[in-house]
Amino acid sequence: MGILSVFKRKKNLLKPEQSSASEGMLVFENTSEVIKAERVLKDAGYNVRVMGPPPELRTGCDLVVVFPIVIQLQVIRLLKAEGLEPVKTVPVSSPLLSPVSLFHVKEFGDFIMVRAANMKLSFEKGSGLIVNISGGGCPDVPFVAAQMIGKTLWDAPSPREIGYTLCAYALSLALEHGKSLCPRPQA
């Protein structure tokens, strides 16, 4: 290997990768903007989801909004009309720039624990009965947990409706993910 081959390798490393991106990520200043953006876009009928940012894009907010890149112009216009402007809009162009799932699921015998961000929701597999809520440090977590524990996934109130913090938002994501994992028992 001569010295020229070293330069050729570096040159190849600097070439931009061919993008086959079909999704983009909206990076916001803070979590409350992410939550508002998700609501605005879903209310408008767009198929978006909230995920964790890849390490390269972490700016202090632990969430990004993922959307189909083909609707980028409409998404940006709609958000701007609502007073929301992302700090960055980034195409998902490589595995290193892929958003990460907020959910971690673990089974414990007859129980399933769903963790969304910093909140954990545990429920019985067969009935969907919520048996424990933990995590977070937000002031509304004890109240929200007291309203949900002892109820089924489908009968429990939405944490978004009875809470007001990021923890309540994360818990509502865990609740919805739990519903998708556990079929509702027939009455």
Side-chain angles (χ1 to χ4, degrees), residues 1 4 12 15 23 26 32-34 36 43 50 67 83-84 112 122 126 131 139 147 153 169-170 174:
M1 176 188 303
L4 291 177
N12 288 338
K15 282 184 180 176
E23 293 185 316
L26 300 168
S32 65
E33 290 178 336
V34 171
K36 287 179 191 170
D43 287 351
V50 173
F67 67 100
L84 293 165
I112 295 175
S122 299
V131 295
Q147 301 301 309
L153 296 170
Y169 176 76

Side-chain angles (χ1 to χ4, degrees), residues 86-102:
V87 174
K88 290 181 190 172
T89 303
V90 182
V92 179
S93 58
S94 76
L96 293 177
L97 281 179
S98 295
V100 295
S101 174
L102 293 176

Side-chain angles (χ1 to χ4, degrees), residues 5-19:
S5 64
V6 171
F7 290 116
K8 285 182 181 176
R9 275 186 40 203
K10 280 189 176 183
K11 185 178 176 184
N12 288 338
L13 291 174
L14 296 176
K15 282 184 180 176
E17 291 185 24
Q18 294 295 319
S19 175

